[in-house]
Amino acid sequence: MPLIDSLGLIAAALTSTSFVPQAWHTFKTRDVRGISLGMYSGFTVGVACWLVYGMLLNSWPIVIANGITLTLAAAILVMKLHYR
């Protein structure tokens, strides 16, 4: 694996897993008061765009990172809409 892909995968792991604590906390407590609907809406759409961009480039680090991040951000957004 080229060094640049390794760097991309490390970045993907760090940025994607950073959403796990927020998603877990929100799921466990159902407390969405501190979550901005506007921010998570914009962020989720932006991550979806990054995912498509990575697919068009056939860049697996971008696809993996944004696929995981999109799943977690969308889950938080859905909980924000459901539990408010």
Side-chain angles (χ1 to χ4, degrees):
M1 174 181 298
L3 181 60
I4 195 164
D5 286 341
S6 298
L7 179 61
L9 289 171
I10 290 167
L14 292 171
T15 58
S16 298
T17 58
S18 69
F19 277 86
V20 172
Q22 181 67 59
W24 179 252
H25 176 76
T26 304
F27 179 74
K28 193 168 92 175
T29 65
R30 293 177 166 74
D31 180 9
V32 294
R33 290 173 291 155
I35 295 174
S36 167
L37 180 59
M39 182 273 181
Y40 264 91
S41 297
F43 181 76
T44 302
V45 171
V47 171
C49 291
W50 274 111
L51 177 60
V52 172
Y53 176 74
M55 292 170 134
L56 293 172
L57 288 178
N58 199 30
S59 174
W60 288 109
I62 294 173
V63 170
I64 292 167
N66 289 290
I68 294 167
T69 303
L70 179 60
T71 301
L72 294 169
I76 293 168
L77 183 59
V78 166
M79 286 186 273
K80 172 66 176 177
L81 294 169
H82 186 264
Y83 296 129
R84 60 180 168 156

